[in-house]
Amino acid sequence: MTIKWTKWNRSVIEKSHGNVYFYRDLYEGNHSTIFSRAKDLIEKGEIVDNIIEGTQKAMNVRTPYIMANVSKLIPEIPAMLVARSIGAITSSINSTEEQNEEANEKTAGQLDGPNDNTVNGEILNLQKELIEQIEKNSNLRFEHWSNIVQQQVDGGLVGVPWNDERGLRIDFKQRDVYFPHEDGLGADLVYQREFDEEDYLHVYRERVEEKGLRATHYLYHINSGDQTEEVEEDEAKELLGLDELEHFYEGRTRQFIVYWANEKTFTNPLGVSCLKNQEGKQDEINWTLTRNAITFERNGKPRIAVSKEIMQALQNAALERYGDESKIDHRDLEITTFDDKGKALEVIQIDITKIGDIEWVKDLMKMMFIETKTSEKAVDFYLEGGSGSAQSGVAKFYDLFISIVKAEQLQSEYIYFLQQLFENVLWLANKEDPAVIIEEPEITIKSMIPISRKELIEENNRAYTDGTQSLETTIRRNNPHASEEWIQEELERVEAEQSSDDSFSLLNGRQTLQQFMGNRDENGDPIQGKEDDE
C-alpha cells in the first residue's frame, strides 16, 4: 500500500517522525528557543541571549542564559567510541585473473586511474578495488561519527546506494525523509526541492513486486496551502535531470534503502531519540545555573555603607562639581572622617560560596546519564583530575563499562548497516557487469579505548602466537592507519622471512644439511650413528 502525497508541510513529517526537530535543537543547544522558562525570562528582560536575540538589552540586569548542554554529550560519547573502532573495509574475496579480465568498460570506468595498459590502469583485484572505490566515493571515513550522532539524536538513519554520474556510492540521509509503506513492501524518500524559485516535492519510491523491485521518481509542485500537484513526466525528467523516471530490478526481493532504527520497539518501529524524556532535566539544569547567575549578578558585587553625614557630604560635592547630586565621585571616598563611634564607611558583601545548587545540577546530570546508559567516567575525563593518573586499557574499560556496552551494541548494528549497503551497491554494479561478485565486505574492528602502542602490539602478537588470529589481521591491527598497499607488502615481507626458516623447531638452531635430508645420505640410505655401529 503506497502513500498518496496530496499535502506537504512540517506536520506531515512530525506525524510520522514525532518531535525530531525538537531533539535536534536540544542537541545543538538552541535551548532558549524551546524551553518556555528561558523564553519568558528573555521577554521580561531578566536575561539575554545575544546569539539568538541579537543585542537586545535586559531591563534589570545583564545576565546571559547559562547552559550546560549535557544533551550534547549523550549522543557524542558512544559516537566517539564506535567511530574510532571502525577500521578498513575490504573484500572477503580475492578476484582471479579471469574475473579481472572479464570486467567490462563500465566497471573499469568506475575505478580511479588512467584507462590504459600501464600498471596504474590495470585491474589487479576487482572486488578489492571496487569496494575501496565505493568507500572513497561515499567519503565514508569522514562519515562514521556524524552518522552515529545523527542516528542517536533523530532515532534513526537512512542509507541509500546510488549508481549515477558520481559513481557507485552510499548516501546517508536524515530520518525525516523516510516514509515506509504500511504493508512493509516499500518505502518513499521525500525531499522538498526548489526549481526556478518554485517549491517542489521529490519522491523516490521503492516497491517490491512479484518478480523484482521497482524504483520510481515522482515530482510534485507545492501550491499555496501546502497542497501538491503531480508534474508531467517530461517536465519531471527535465527538472530532475533524469533520462528515465522508473527502473525495474528483476530478481531483487529486498529494498535498496536501508533504515537503521535506534532502540526499536513494537510501539516505536522507527526508533526513538536517545534524548527522549531528557528535556525536562536539561531545562532544570539550565534554569538552576541561570538563576544562580542572576543571584550572583545582583548580590555578588561588594557594596559600601556610609553614615548619613558622609552621604550628604558626597552629594553636596557631586552637586557642586557636576550639578547633579546623584553623580557621586568615588575619589571623594579616598579621604573621609570618622563618626563619633569611630566608623566612616563599611564594605558589605554576601558570601557567594553559599549561592547556587550545584549538587542539584550534578544529581540531574547523574540521572540523565543513568537513563541514557552513559558512564559518568566518560564525562569525568573532561574534568580536573579525571584522567590525571596513568591507566591501563583494562582499567579504562571498567571505568567506561556502561558506555562501552552501549557502544558495542551500536557498533554491531552499524557494521551490519554498512555491510547491507555495500551489498546493495555491489548488486547495482553486478546488474551492469556480471564479473562483480555480490558480497558483504569485511570491516576491521579496532579498539574503542585508546591504549599505548606497547599494549596494542603485545595484545595482537599474543593472539597470533596463540593461533587465534591470522598474520594479516595482526599486521592490520598493529598498523591501523597503514594503507592497503603497505599492509600487503608487509605481509609478503614477513612471510618471506618466515619461509627462510625450516619447518622444525628453531630451538635447536638452524637446519644442517643432514637434517634437511631427513638424516639420509645422498643415496637415500639412513645415516647410521656411532651407537648403531657398535
Side-chain angles (χ1 to χ4, degrees):
M1 184 177 180
T2 59
I3 303 172
K4 295 181 179 180
W5 296 101
T6 59
K7 185 179 181 181
W8 178 254
N9 53 32
R10 183 162 174 165
S11 64
V12 175
I13 298 173
E14 292 179 342
K15 183 178 179 181
S16 297
H17 296 285
N19 296 325
V20 62
Y21 297 110
F22 176 85
Y23 291 120
R24 289 176 188 171
D25 284 335
L26 187 62
Y27 166 75
E28 294 290 346
N30 301 325
H31 299 173
S32 62
T33 63
I34 60 177
F35 292 146
S36 58
R37 286 194 290 191
K39 290 190 285 188
D40 289 343
L41 286 178
I42 292 173
E43 290 174 2
K44 293 176 181 178
E46 294 290 333
I47 59 174
V48 292
D49 188 350
N50 286 336
I51 296 176
I52 304 299
E53 302 295 335
T55 57
Q56 179 182 353
K57 268 193 172 183
M59 289 181 249
N60 297 325
V61 293
R62 193 169 180 78
T63 303
Y65 180 54
I66 307 296
M67 293 185 298
N69 195 5
V70 184
S71 301
K72 186 177 179 65
L73 296 176
I74 291 171
E76 287 187 0
I77 288 173
M80 174 185 64
L81 294 173
V82 176
R84 75 179 313 277
S85 73
I86 303 298
I89 302 175
T90 58
S91 172
S92 56
I93 300 171
N94 286 323
S95 298
T96 62
E97 291 185 7
E98 291 78 9
Q99 290 173 326
N100 296 334
E101 293 174 357
E102 288 174 1
N104 60 29
E105 293 182 0
K106 286 188 176 181
T107 302
Q110 295 277 7
L111 304 175
D112 289 341
N115 190 16
D116 52 28
N117 295 324
T118 62
V119 175
N120 291 326
E122 183 181 358
I123 299 176
L124 303 177
N125 190 326
L126 176 63
Q127 286 292 119
K128 171 177 165 294
E129 293 178 27
L130 192 58
I131 287 176
E132 287 180 355
Q133 190 63 52
I134 294 169
E135 183 181 9
K136 291 178 182 177
N137 292 346
S138 308
N139 206 24
L140 198 54
R141 294 200 179 186
F142 297 100
E143 300 293 337
H144 296 313
W145 185 86
S146 58
N147 283 345
I148 298 164
V149 167
Q150 199 68 51
Q151 190 262 359
Q152 287 289 287
V153 174
D154 287 357
L157 184 71
V158 184
V160 193
W162 293 111
N163 185 10
D164 52 20
E165 65 277 358
R166 293 169 56 188
L168 288 166
R169 58 191 172 84
I170 300 170
D171 267 357
F172 299 97
K173 309 289 185 183
Q174 293 177 321
R175 162 186 176 154
D176 53 339
V177 305
Y178 178 74
F179 294 86
H181 300 167
E182 289 185 5
D183 57 6
L185 296 177
D188 290 356
L189 298 183
V190 185
Y191 317 92
Q192 183 171 334
R193 304 180 63 179
E194 183 176 317
F195 299 107
D196 300 327
E197 299 183 355
E198 294 284 340
D199 290 330
Y200 291 86
L201 192 68
H202 178 195
V203 177
Y204 169 73
R205 174 172 295 164
E206 288 186 357
R207 186 76 183 164
V208 177
E209 299 180 357
E210 184 178 354
K211 295 183 179 180
L213 178 71
R214 189 175 302 279
T216 313
H217 292 270
Y218 299 93
L219 190 64
Y220 299 85
H221 184 264
I222 302 177
N223 301 320
S224 59
D226 300 328
Q227 300 300 313
T228 61
E229 181 182 352
E230 188 172 356
V231 176
E232 294 293 334
E233 182 176 346
D234 292 338
E235 184 182 358
K237 288 180 181 178
E238 182 180 354
L239 291 173
L240 295 175
L242 299 174
D243 295 330
E244 297 293 335
L245 296 180
E246 186 174 283
H247 294 278
F248 186 76
Y249 301 94
E250 188 174 354
R252 177 75 184 184
T253 58
R254 293 180 292 115
Q255 301 171 48
F256 289 123
I257 302 171
V258 181
Y259 183 79
W260 176 27
N262 180 56
E263 298 181 6
K264 176 182 176 182
T265 62
F266 289 115
T267 54
N268 296 289
L270 295 182
V272 295
S273 171
C274 69
L275 301 177
K276 185 178 181 181
N277 297 327
Q278 302 307 314
E279 56 270 19
K281 290 181 279 292
Q282 180 66 71
D283 183 24
E284 182 65 21
I285 289 172
N286 295 349
W287 172 259
T288 303
L289 294 176
T290 303
R291 184 180 57 198
N292 294 347
I294 294 173
T295 305
F296 177 77
E297 183 72 23
R298 289 173 173 170
N299 304 291
K301 296 179 181 179
R303 289 172 170 78
I304 299 175
V306 299
S307 63
K308 292 181 179 180
E309 292 78 6
I310 293 176
M311 188 63 183
Q312 186 61 52
L314 292 171
Q315 289 175 340
N316 293 337
L319 182 62
E320 181 180 350
R321 185 179 296 127
Y322 303 110
D324 186 353
E325 63 179 14
S326 65
K327 295 182 178 180
I328 296 175
D329 196 327
H330 69 89
R331 291 173 296 182
D332 293 331
L333 294 174
E334 294 177 0
I335 301 176
T336 185
T337 58
F338 288 94
D339 60 11
D340 55 351
K341 294 183 180 180
K343 289 186 177 181
L345 55 85
E346 183 178 355
V347 177
I348 300 175
Q349 184 178 14
I350 65 172
D351 185 1
I352 60 174
T353 61
K354 305 297 183 183
I355 299 176
D357 303 306
I358 298 303
E359 289 303 319
W360 171 232
V361 171
K362 290 181 179 178
D363 289 341
L364 290 169
M365 293 173 63
K366 186 179 295 186
M367 284 189 284
M368 293 181 72
F369 294 146
I370 291 172
E371 292 180 9
T372 58
K373 299 185 285 291
T374 304
S375 173
E376 287 185 68
K377 285 294 182 181
V379 181
D380 285 348
F381 285 138
Y382 294 100
L383 304 178
E384 184 179 358
S387 57
S389 58
Q391 286 184 301
S392 68
V394 175
K396 290 177 184 175
F397 174 85
Y398 285 108
D399 277 345
L400 302 173
F401 182 76
I402 297 299
S403 287
I404 289 176
V405 169
K406 177 180 179 179
E408 284 184 344
Q409 179 181 349
L410 291 175
Q411 180 194 65
S412 62
E413 292 177 3
Y414 184 57
I415 289 175
Y416 180 74
F417 176 68
L418 291 178
Q419 287 177 329
Q420 293 296 300
L421 288 169
F422 269 95
E423 182 190 27
N424 294 348
V425 177
L426 292 174
W427 207 100
L428 293 175
N430 174 266
K431 190 174 184 297
E432 295 185 347
D433 186 355
V436 177
I437 300 175
I438 302 172
E439 62 162 323
E440 292 184 0
E442 294 181 359
I443 300 180
T444 306
I445 300 175
K446 300 182 293 184
S447 174
M448 290 186 181
I449 307 172
I451 60 176
S452 67
R453 176 75 177 166
K454 179 182 177 182
E455 284 183 287
L456 176 69
I457 293 175
E458 287 177 351
E459 178 183 327
N460 286 299
N461 289 357
R462 189 183 305 113
Y464 173 65
T465 55
D466 291 345
T468 59
Q469 184 171 287
S470 69
L471 177 60
E472 181 178 355
T473 302
T474 302
I475 294 174
R476 286 185 184 278
R477 292 185 175 178
N478 282 344
N479 304 276
H481 302 296
S483 66
E484 185 66 25
E485 290 76 12
W486 185 91
I487 290 174
Q488 294 302 324
E489 290 179 2
E490 182 71 4
L491 184 62
E492 291 176 4
R493 285 192 292 265
V494 174
E495 288 176 340
E497 291 177 3
Q498 289 180 344
S499 65
S500 64
D501 295 327
D502 58 52
S503 59
F504 299 97
S505 172
L506 294 179
L507 294 175
N508 296 324
R510 300 283 181 179
Q511 278 185 301
T512 64
L513 179 61
Q514 290 181 354
Q515 289 172 335
F516 184 80
M517 298 292 292
N519 289 324
R520 295 176 181 273
D521 60 19
E522 58 184 1
N523 297 321
D525 299 323
I527 298 175
Q528 299 292 330
K530 293 182 179 180
E531 296 180 358
D532 296 337
D533 295 333
E534 294 176 356

